[in-house]
Amino acid sequence: MKWHEMRADEVTNAINTDVESGLTSKEVKQREQKFGLNELKEAERPSAILLFLNQFKDFMVLVLLAATLISGLLGEYIDAIAIIAIVFVNGILGFFQERKAEKSLEALKELSAPQVVALRNGEWVRVLSKELVPGDVVKFTSGDRIGADMRLIESKSLEVEESALTGESLPVQKSIQPIVGKDVGIGDLTNMVFMGTLVTRGSGIGIVVGTGMNTAMGQIADLLQNAETMETPLQRRLEQLGKILIVVALLLTVLVVGIGVLQGHDIYNMFLAGVSLAVAAIPEGLPAIVTVALSLGVQRMIKQNSIVRKLPAVETLGCASVICSDKTGTMTQNKMTVTQIWSSDKVWNVSGTGYHPHGEFMYRDKEIDVAKTKTLQQILTFGALCNSAAIMEKDNDYILDGDPTEGALLVAAMKAGLKKENLYRSFEVVEEFPFDSVRKMMSVIVKDKNGKRFVVTKGAPDVLLGISKSILWNERQEGLTREYEEKVKGAIESLASQALRTIAIAFKPLSSTERIETSYEAEKDLVFIGLQGMIDPPRPEVKQAVKECRDAGIKTVMITGDHVITAKAIAKQLNILPTNGKVLEGRELSSLSVEDLEEIVDDVYVFARVSPEHKLKIVKALQNKGHIVAMTGDGVNDAPAIKAADIGISMGITGTDVAKEASSLVLVDDNFATIKSAIKEGRNIYENIRKFIRYLLASNVGEILVMLFAMILGLPLPLVPIQILWVNLVTDGLPAMALGLDQPEGDLMKRKPRHPKEGVFSRGLGWKVVSRGFLIGIVTLAAFMIVYYRNPNELAYAQTVAFATLVMAQLIHVFDCRSEKSIFERNPFENMYLIGAVVSSILLMLVVIYYPPLQPIFHTIPILLRDWLLILGMSAIPTFLLAGSLLTRKTA
């Protein structure tokens, strides 16, 4: 018998599980060993050996290896061995860089893996989908992604979208009834839910019956094996740059070889020098360093509670000019607390905060007994019954499982001694119509001990007021006249003016014969009882984060479904709403086209009473005005706006799996301040990439020009090929990598957002590369000429001085690259990785100069102390000459 043919109790017995307590830890471990992890098999990744061999596929590396072969054939064995050793070391560095990036991305995938709520050891706990095993009892609700194939044992208005499996976009209504019949199609298995499908409405509980490749999704696993690798715009620009540099390098090689041969130099030496220069011209480590810089930046962002799901988001973050943020939970603490209750023109104050069920009820500054106040007790009871949340005590703390608004209603009832589990002894919930953003309410049908049934509804006060026929006034049911409506509206405004969110409570008795099948039938002709006013206090760190964003040229826009008065009050507390700033309501937004909204959107700072559908219109209007938009969201209906935004941001705690999948950034802590930190990190990653591009290219320009100028002047070669390769290895690798770890500059969050189409060489970077490179080439050649003309018979000594000058000039220049302005702007000891890299590079240089066994390989001779003064003086000129002139202009 198949799973869908069985009754729920038969499924439980067949798979050996307990729907009351779930599986034990021991059972989970045993089943995991038997069935494996709940994962689809992935395509095989290249082996470590293949990854290592891929490092030698680069065109210029192949040219260098060809040159090495020629060296060997001509009998220059020491040169050949040395070049192979350097190529091999470069290959090892590239290999480890790629492996590090791969592992970082694996860790990222692990962190962003979908989670489910499973019953383990008698408690509902969050577990990774991949940890599910057959027999697990799992619950899910609207917006959740199903983690495995399951047989339903409970279904409350459950609808699931199964287009990933069936191609049908319309959601399927689910039930728990057995289905009998041969060859039942997957689309007709209404008592089953499948891995990868999406809950669009209602809630349910299922027993896992298939995991991993034993799922319906496992049959089409080949479509899901590998996530598409996205190349960032920066990587594309660098790839184009690389192609240009290859052409330049080949032309330089021909030029250098041609001039050298015409001047009588040895053809072999000139060919090797030309190839070495070509290798110097191409920063072959650049793509690897960019990947590692992005990867390390992503890891830093994880530590700051933001998970980057798509690498281009790192670049885009630095361009953000508007952040559209949800209020609840992101700017506030998401710990709603009922502080006032209104009914029949009476207001009761409630003390206590958070989810601790301790507090007093006060009326006119006097504590009252709720049990003696029938209307108050009724409002609290109904608020707890029409409620999907649960408050659990754990480690001397109270934790909410569910919606914060429902949690507040539950805690308010608990403060009056009305615990949900105790209420369920007197009342039975026989039907539930879950909350959705269109109806803006939730209803349950309840039966008391006497068998009497009634509807209990909670929701937006204005909506409930519109569908109510009567009102409970001083414990008597009255017709809802215009006078009573005005009193209720006055109460709503009074509570909202205090930044309180209001939830209305209503009910309706049902006759014994009355049948209710739809939410529409349940939610009409209600009896309005009263209001519960609650507040979600702002997070203390958000006010400063909003200020820092404003200083960075980033506008913060608050989007909320709350009442306009509440929204304005919170926005003013956080300094989001300036004096002349506009507030736009959902009904006004609905009447505007995107084009109309464009005209006023720059002046709007708060959007109140909006539905998730409005968010897409807001995103489009801002984008049409030229803004780079970051949009936050957590629900299924937020997904289109999140996807349409330049940076879609989802909530890690409250966010649905759909919202997370549509987003490029996930906030682990749902905190607005984390968005600010992510933008800062995104800006810094981009700036660090610019720093090492500036450093690598300026260094390479210097190496090329020193050889080219020497050729033109008819001088001997200032550097032998092996020295050029060693300079590349010593000065390009470690210091460039250390620049990728640099801390942000002090004014980073005071600069305006970067334009997304800004070129790599913008803001004077091209001039800095050429000017510093030119000076590095000039001083290296000058040091060579001074020593060479002093004693023309000691060419090797002059070449060693040129080699040391080139290395030291580049290592001093690396500190200048840390600032957009001047080397004097930053403390060199802020980046100890860079200090370590520079010291290591100097030691490596000294080893090849002073260690006798390496001297014949690198054609070096020990340098005298007096010439070190020349080397250090010359190598300081490129950095300090320009920095000094800049400082003089600044002082003047």
PDB file of all heavy atoms in Angstrom, residues 38-64:
ATOM      1  N   ASN A  38      19.176  14.415   3.964  1.00  0.00           N
ATOM      2  CA  ASN A  38      18.076  14.791   3.068  1.00  0.00           C
ATOM      3  C   ASN A  38      18.592  15.797   2.030  1.00  0.00           C
ATOM      4  O   ASN A  38      18.250  16.983   2.056  1.00  0.00           O
ATOM      5  CB  ASN A  38      16.932  15.381   3.904  1.00  0.00           C
ATOM      6  CG  ASN A  38      15.763  15.812   3.045  1.00  0.00           C
ATOM      7  OD1 ASN A  38      15.485  15.219   2.020  1.00  0.00           O
ATOM      8  ND2 ASN A  38      15.088  16.876   3.461  1.00  0.00           N
ATOM      9  N   GLU A  39      19.453  15.314   1.130  1.00  0.00           N
ATOM     10  CA  GLU A  39      20.050  16.177   0.118  1.00  0.00           C
ATOM     11  C   GLU A  39      19.966  15.515  -1.252  1.00  0.00           C
ATOM     12  O   GLU A  39      20.003  14.289  -1.366  1.00  0.00           O
ATOM     13  CB  GLU A  39      21.528  16.435   0.431  1.00  0.00           C
ATOM     14  CG  GLU A  39      21.769  17.260   1.671  1.00  0.00           C
ATOM     15  CD  GLU A  39      23.256  17.453   1.933  1.00  0.00           C
ATOM     16  OE1 GLU A  39      24.016  16.464   1.835  1.00  0.00           O
ATOM     17  OE2 GLU A  39      23.653  18.584   2.239  1.00  0.00           O
ATOM     18  N   LEU A  40      19.875  16.360  -2.276  1.00  0.00           N
ATOM     19  CA  LEU A  40      19.939  15.847  -3.645  1.00  0.00           C
ATOM     20  C   LEU A  40      21.403  15.732  -4.035  1.00  0.00           C
ATOM     21  O   LEU A  40      22.214  16.581  -3.669  1.00  0.00           O
ATOM     22  CB  LEU A  40      19.212  16.802  -4.594  1.00  0.00           C
ATOM     23  CG  LEU A  40      17.726  17.020  -4.299  1.00  0.00           C
ATOM     24  CD1 LEU A  40      17.172  18.097  -5.219  1.00  0.00           C
ATOM     25  CD2 LEU A  40      16.941  15.739  -4.454  1.00  0.00           C
ATOM     26  N   LYS A  41      21.742  14.678  -4.765  1.00  0.00           N
ATOM     27  CA  LYS A  41      23.132  14.465  -5.162  1.00  0.00           C
ATOM     28  C   LYS A  41      23.571  15.588  -6.085  1.00  0.00           C
ATOM     29  O   LYS A  41      22.844  15.976  -6.992  1.00  0.00           O
ATOM     30  CB  LYS A  41      23.300  13.119  -5.859  1.00  0.00           C
ATOM     31  CG  LYS A  41      23.235  11.937  -4.900  1.00  0.00           C
ATOM     32  CD  LYS A  41      23.441  10.634  -5.642  1.00  0.00           C
ATOM     33  CE  LYS A  41      23.336   9.455  -4.663  1.00  0.00           C
ATOM     34  NZ  LYS A  41      23.403   8.157  -5.361  1.00  0.00           N
ATOM     35  N   GLU A  42      24.774  16.087  -5.834  1.00  0.00           N
ATOM     36  CA  GLU A  42      25.307  17.172  -6.656  1.00  0.00           C
ATOM     37  C   GLU A  42      26.279  16.629  -7.685  1.00  0.00           C
ATOM     38  O   GLU A  42      26.846  15.558  -7.528  1.00  0.00           O
ATOM     39  CB  GLU A  42      26.026  18.200  -5.769  1.00  0.00           C
ATOM     40  CG  GLU A  42      25.069  18.942  -4.854  1.00  0.00           C
ATOM     41  CD  GLU A  42      25.729  20.144  -4.226  1.00  0.00           C
ATOM     42  OE1 GLU A  42      26.896  20.409  -4.549  1.00  0.00           O
ATOM     43  OE2 GLU A  42      25.071  20.807  -3.422  1.00  0.00           O
ATOM     44  N   ALA A  43      26.469  17.399  -8.739  1.00  0.00           N
ATOM     45  CA  ALA A  43      27.457  17.029  -9.750  1.00  0.00           C
ATOM     46  C   ALA A  43      28.845  17.022  -9.118  1.00  0.00           C
ATOM     47  O   ALA A  43      29.119  17.812  -8.204  1.00  0.00           O
ATOM     48  CB  ALA A  43      27.423  18.033 -10.901  1.00  0.00           C
ATOM     49  N   GLU A  44      29.688  16.147  -9.598  1.00  0.00           N
ATOM     50  CA  GLU A  44      31.036  16.035  -9.030  1.00  0.00           C
ATOM     51  C   GLU A  44      31.827  17.299  -9.308  1.00  0.00           C
ATOM     52  O   GLU A  44      31.792  17.850 -10.401  1.00  0.00           O
ATOM     53  CB  GLU A  44      31.762  14.825  -9.628  1.00  0.00           C
ATOM     54  CG  GLU A  44      31.242  13.501  -9.094  1.00  0.00           C
ATOM     55  CD  GLU A  44      32.084  12.340  -9.589  1.00  0.00           C
ATOM     56  OE1 GLU A  44      33.231  12.569  -9.996  1.00  0.00           O
ATOM     57  OE2 GLU A  44      31.573  11.213  -9.585  1.00  0.00           O
ATOM     58  N   ARG A  45      32.562  17.740  -8.277  1.00  0.00           N
ATOM     59  CA  ARG A  45      33.416  18.912  -8.436  1.00  0.00           C
ATOM     60  C   ARG A  45      34.801  18.461  -8.886  1.00  0.00           C
ATOM     61  O   ARG A  45      35.180  17.316  -8.654  1.00  0.00           O
ATOM     62  CB  ARG A  45      33.520  19.665  -7.105  1.00  0.00           C
ATOM     63  CG  ARG A  45      32.201  20.300  -6.728  1.00  0.00           C
ATOM     64  CD  ARG A  45      32.330  21.087  -5.463  1.00  0.00           C
ATOM     65  NE  ARG A  45      31.051  21.691  -5.107  1.00  0.00           N
ATOM     66  CZ  ARG A  45      30.853  22.367  -3.991  1.00  0.00           C
ATOM     67  NH1 ARG A  45      31.819  22.505  -3.122  1.00  0.00           N
ATOM     68  NH2 ARG A  45      29.679  22.896  -3.735  1.00  0.00           N
ATOM     69  N   PRO A  46      35.567  19.366  -9.518  1.00  0.00           N
ATOM     70  CA  PRO A  46      36.903  18.957  -9.950  1.00  0.00           C
ATOM     71  C   PRO A  46      37.742  18.514  -8.752  1.00  0.00           C
ATOM     72  O   PRO A  46      37.652  19.103  -7.670  1.00  0.00           O
ATOM     73  CB  PRO A  46      37.483  20.225 -10.580  1.00  0.00           C
ATOM     74  CG  PRO A  46      36.464  21.273 -10.484  1.00  0.00           C
ATOM     75  CD  PRO A  46      35.260  20.742  -9.819  1.00  0.00           C
ATOM     76  N   SER A  47      38.562  17.496  -8.970  1.00  0.00           N
ATOM     77  CA  SER A  47      39.426  17.003  -7.891  1.00  0.00           C
ATOM     78  C   SER A  47      40.496  18.036  -7.592  1.00  0.00           C
ATOM     79  O   SER A  47      40.736  18.963  -8.384  1.00  0.00           O
ATOM     80  CB  SER A  47      40.093  15.690  -8.313  1.00  0.00           C
ATOM     81  OG  SER A  47      40.975  15.939  -9.397  1.00  0.00           O
ATOM     82  N   ALA A  48      41.154  17.871  -6.440  1.00  0.00           N
ATOM     83  CA  ALA A  48      42.209  18.806  -6.033  1.00  0.00           C
ATOM     84  C   ALA A  48      43.328  18.834  -7.066  1.00  0.00           C
ATOM     85  O   ALA A  48      43.882  19.900  -7.381  1.00  0.00           O
ATOM     86  CB  ALA A  48      42.746  18.400  -4.662  1.00  0.00           C
ATOM     87  N   ILE A  49      43.643  17.674  -7.655  1.00  0.00           N
ATOM     88  CA  ILE A  49      44.727  17.601  -8.654  1.00  0.00           C
ATOM     89  C   ILE A  49      44.348  18.401  -9.895  1.00  0.00           C
ATOM     90  O   ILE A  49      45.146  19.184 -10.422  1.00  0.00           O
ATOM     91  CB  ILE A  49      45.022  16.121  -9.030  1.00  0.00           C
ATOM     92  CG1 ILE A  49      45.592  15.376  -7.823  1.00  0.00           C
ATOM     93  CG2 ILE A  49      45.981  16.040 -10.211  1.00  0.00           C
ATOM     94  CD1 ILE A  49      45.715  13.885  -8.002  1.00  0.00           C
ATOM     95  N   LEU A  50      43.085  18.233 -10.352  1.00  0.00           N
ATOM     96  CA  LEU A  50      42.620  18.958 -11.539  1.00  0.00           C
ATOM     97  C   LEU A  50      42.591  20.462 -11.274  1.00  0.00           C
ATOM     98  O   LEU A  50      42.952  21.267 -12.143  1.00  0.00           O
ATOM     99  CB  LEU A  50      41.225  18.454 -11.920  1.00  0.00           C
ATOM    100  CG  LEU A  50      40.765  18.757 -13.357  1.00  0.00           C
ATOM    101  CD1 LEU A  50      41.700  18.115 -14.368  1.00  0.00           C
ATOM    102  CD2 LEU A  50      39.348  18.254 -13.570  1.00  0.00           C
ATOM    103  N   LEU A  51      42.171  20.834 -10.069  1.00  0.00           N
ATOM    104  CA  LEU A  51      42.145  22.244  -9.682  1.00  0.00           C
ATOM    105  C   LEU A  51      43.552  22.840  -9.724  1.00  0.00           C
ATOM    106  O   LEU A  51      43.756  23.970 -10.171  1.00  0.00           O
ATOM    107  CB  LEU A  51      41.549  22.390  -8.270  1.00  0.00           C
ATOM    108  CG  LEU A  51      41.068  23.776  -7.862  1.00  0.00           C
ATOM    109  CD1 LEU A  51      39.913  24.232  -8.731  1.00  0.00           C
ATOM    110  CD2 LEU A  51      40.630  23.771  -6.404  1.00  0.00           C
ATOM    111  N   PHE A  52      44.531  22.051  -9.275  1.00  0.00           N
ATOM    112  CA  PHE A  52      45.934  22.497  -9.280  1.00  0.00           C
ATOM    113  C   PHE A  52      46.441  22.643 -10.711  1.00  0.00           C
ATOM    114  O   PHE A  52      47.077  23.644 -11.062  1.00  0.00           O
ATOM    115  CB  PHE A  52      46.803  21.505  -8.495  1.00  0.00           C
ATOM    116  CG  PHE A  52      48.267  21.867  -8.487  1.00  0.00           C
ATOM    117  CD1 PHE A  52      48.715  23.000  -7.823  1.00  0.00           C
ATOM    118  CD2 PHE A  52      49.192  21.083  -9.157  1.00  0.00           C
ATOM    119  CE1 PHE A  52      50.066  23.340  -7.821  1.00  0.00           C
ATOM    120  CE2 PHE A  52      50.534  21.409  -9.162  1.00  0.00           C
ATOM    121  CZ  PHE A  52      50.971  22.546  -8.487  1.00  0.00           C
ATOM    122  N   LEU A  53      46.137  21.660 -11.576  1.00  0.00           N
ATOM    123  CA  LEU A  53      46.589  21.705 -12.972  1.00  0.00           C
ATOM    124  C   LEU A  53      45.955  22.867 -13.727  1.00  0.00           C
ATOM    125  O   LEU A  53      46.561  23.425 -14.645  1.00  0.00           O
ATOM    126  CB  LEU A  53      46.274  20.377 -13.668  1.00  0.00           C
ATOM    127  CG  LEU A  53      47.071  19.159 -13.177  1.00  0.00           C
ATOM    128  CD1 LEU A  53      46.588  17.898 -13.856  1.00  0.00           C
ATOM    129  CD2 LEU A  53      48.576  19.354 -13.418  1.00  0.00           C
ATOM    130  N   ASN A  54      44.721  23.250 -13.317  1.00  0.00           N
ATOM    131  CA  ASN A  54      44.042  24.385 -13.966  1.00  0.00           C
ATOM    132  C   ASN A  54      44.794  25.698 -13.784  1.00  0.00           C
ATOM    133  O   ASN A  54      44.576  26.647 -14.539  1.00  0.00           O
ATOM    134  CB  ASN A  54      42.621  24.537 -13.421  1.00  0.00           C
ATOM    135  CG  ASN A  54      41.674  23.501 -14.001  1.00  0.00           C
ATOM    136  OD1 ASN A  54      41.953  22.909 -15.028  1.00  0.00           O
ATOM    137  ND2 ASN A  54      40.554  23.269 -13.328  1.00  0.00           N
ATOM    138  N   GLN A  55      45.646  25.753 -12.747  1.00  0.00           N
ATOM    139  CA  GLN A  55      46.413  26.979 -12.494  1.00  0.00           C
ATOM    140  C   GLN A  55      47.417  27.254 -13.615  1.00  0.00           C
ATOM    141  O   GLN A  55      47.925  28.362 -13.740  1.00  0.00           O
ATOM    142  CB  GLN A  55      47.161  26.890 -11.144  1.00  0.00           C
ATOM    143  CG  GLN A  55      46.298  26.535  -9.950  1.00  0.00           C
ATOM    144  CD  GLN A  55      45.136  27.481  -9.762  1.00  0.00           C
ATOM    145  OE1 GLN A  55      45.298  28.692  -9.825  1.00  0.00           O
ATOM    146  NE2 GLN A  55      43.947  26.925  -9.541  1.00  0.00           N
ATOM    147  N   PHE A  56      47.726  26.230 -14.419  1.00  0.00           N
ATOM    148  CA  PHE A  56      48.761  26.366 -15.449  1.00  0.00           C
ATOM    149  C   PHE A  56      48.162  26.494 -16.852  1.00  0.00           C
ATOM    150  O   PHE A  56      48.852  26.370 -17.844  1.00  0.00           O
ATOM    151  CB  PHE A  56      49.724  25.161 -15.388  1.00  0.00           C
ATOM    152  CG  PHE A  56      50.334  24.984 -14.030  1.00  0.00           C
ATOM    153  CD1 PHE A  56      49.818  24.061 -13.135  1.00  0.00           C
ATOM    154  CD2 PHE A  56      51.406  25.771 -13.617  1.00  0.00           C
ATOM    155  CE1 PHE A  56      50.365  23.905 -11.867  1.00  0.00           C
ATOM    156  CE2 PHE A  56      51.959  25.623 -12.363  1.00  0.00           C
ATOM    157  CZ  PHE A  56      51.439  24.689 -11.469  1.00  0.00           C
ATOM    158  N   LYS A  57      46.825  26.754 -16.925  1.00  0.00           N
ATOM    159  CA  LYS A  57      46.159  26.887 -18.216  1.00  0.00           C
ATOM    160  C   LYS A  57      46.237  28.315 -18.753  1.00  0.00           C
ATOM    161  O   LYS A  57      45.936  28.559 -19.916  1.00  0.00           O
ATOM    162  CB  LYS A  57      44.687  26.469 -18.096  1.00  0.00           C
ATOM    163  CG  LYS A  57      44.499  24.957 -18.028  1.00  0.00           C
ATOM    164  CD  LYS A  57      43.098  24.578 -17.600  1.00  0.00           C
ATOM    165  CE  LYS A  57      42.049  25.058 -18.578  1.00  0.00           C
ATOM    166  NZ  LYS A  57      40.690  24.639 -18.163  1.00  0.00           N
ATOM    167  N   ASP A  58      46.641  29.258 -17.888  1.00  0.00           N
ATOM    168  CA  ASP A  58      46.702  30.656 -18.291  1.00  0.00           C
ATOM    169  C   ASP A  58      47.671  30.829 -19.468  1.00  0.00           C
ATOM    170  O   ASP A  58      48.751  30.232 -19.495  1.00  0.00           O
ATOM    171  CB  ASP A  58      47.157  31.521 -17.105  1.00  0.00           C
ATOM    172  CG  ASP A  58      47.180  32.992 -17.448  1.00  0.00           C
ATOM    173  OD1 ASP A  58      46.108  33.603 -17.462  1.00  0.00           O
ATOM    174  OD2 ASP A  58      48.282  33.505 -17.723  1.00  0.00           O
ATOM    175  N   PHE A  59      47.286  31.659 -20.435  1.00  0.00           N
ATOM    176  CA  PHE A  59      48.073  31.836 -21.655  1.00  0.00           C
ATOM    177  C   PHE A  59      49.511  32.261 -21.361  1.00  0.00           C
ATOM    178  O   PHE A  59      50.467  31.710 -21.907  1.00  0.00           O
ATOM    179  CB  PHE A  59      47.384  32.881 -22.552  1.00  0.00           C
ATOM    180  CG  PHE A  59      48.189  33.256 -23.766  1.00  0.00           C
ATOM    181  CD1 PHE A  59      48.318  32.373 -24.830  1.00  0.00           C
ATOM    182  CD2 PHE A  59      48.831  34.485 -23.837  1.00  0.00           C
ATOM    183  CE1 PHE A  59      49.068  32.717 -25.951  1.00  0.00           C
ATOM    184  CE2 PHE A  59      49.587  34.827 -24.950  1.00  0.00           C
ATOM    185  CZ  PHE A  59      49.696  33.955 -26.012  1.00  0.00           C
ATOM    186  N   MET A  60      49.683  33.246 -20.487  1.00  0.00           N
ATOM    187  CA  MET A  60      51.028  33.768 -20.217  1.00  0.00           C
ATOM    188  C   MET A  60      51.881  32.750 -19.456  1.00  0.00           C
ATOM    189  O   MET A  60      53.103  32.712 -19.625  1.00  0.00           O
ATOM    190  CB  MET A  60      50.941  35.087 -19.437  1.00  0.00           C
ATOM    191  CG  MET A  60      50.384  36.237 -20.255  1.00  0.00           C
ATOM    192  SD  MET A  60      51.024  36.378 -21.940  1.00  0.00           S
ATOM    193  CE  MET A  60      52.757  36.655 -21.639  1.00  0.00           C
ATOM    194  N   VAL A  61      51.241  31.939 -18.634  1.00  0.00           N
ATOM    195  CA  VAL A  61      51.997  30.897 -17.926  1.00  0.00           C
ATOM    196  C   VAL A  61      52.512  29.871 -18.941  1.00  0.00           C
ATOM    197  O   VAL A  61      53.655  29.402 -18.851  1.00  0.00           O
ATOM    198  CB  VAL A  61      51.118  30.210 -16.849  1.00  0.00           C
ATOM    199  CG1 VAL A  61      51.835  29.006 -16.253  1.00  0.00           C
ATOM    200  CG2 VAL A  61      50.748  31.197 -15.759  1.00  0.00           C
ATOM    201  N   LEU A  62      51.681  29.554 -19.937  1.00  0.00           N
ATOM    202  CA  LEU A  62      52.099  28.617 -20.983  1.00  0.00           C
ATOM    203  C   LEU A  62      53.261  29.195 -21.794  1.00  0.00           C
ATOM    204  O   LEU A  62      54.202  28.479 -22.152  1.00  0.00           O
ATOM    205  CB  LEU A  62      50.916  28.290 -21.908  1.00  0.00           C
ATOM    206  CG  LEU A  62      49.765  27.493 -21.262  1.00  0.00           C
ATOM    207  CD1 LEU A  62      48.590  27.367 -22.227  1.00  0.00           C
ATOM    208  CD2 LEU A  62      50.229  26.101 -20.829  1.00  0.00           C
ATOM    209  N   VAL A  63      53.213  30.516 -22.066  1.00  0.00           N
ATOM    210  CA  VAL A  63      54.322  31.183 -22.765  1.00  0.00           C
ATOM    211  C   VAL A  63      55.598  31.080 -21.941  1.00  0.00           C
ATOM    212  O   VAL A  63      56.686  30.801 -22.448  1.00  0.00           O
ATOM    213  CB  VAL A  63      53.980  32.664 -23.054  1.00  0.00           C
ATOM    214  CG1 VAL A  63      55.194  33.419 -23.573  1.00  0.00           C
ATOM    215  CG2 VAL A  63      52.847  32.752 -24.061  1.00  0.00           C
ATOM    216  N   LEU A  64      55.462  31.298 -20.637  1.00  0.00           N
ATOM    217  CA  LEU A  64      56.616  31.235 -19.730  1.00  0.00           C
ATOM    218  C   LEU A  64      57.207  29.819 -19.702  1.00  0.00           C
ATOM    219  O   LEU A  64      58.436  29.641 -19.703  1.00  0.00           O
ATOM    220  CB  LEU A  64      56.170  31.651 -18.325  1.00  0.00           C
ATOM    221  CG  LEU A  64      57.280  31.986 -17.315  1.00  0.00           C
ATOM    222  CD1 LEU A  64      58.157  33.102 -17.818  1.00  0.00           C
ATOM    223  CD2 LEU A  64      56.671  32.370 -15.979  1.00  0.00           C
TER     224      LEU A  64
END
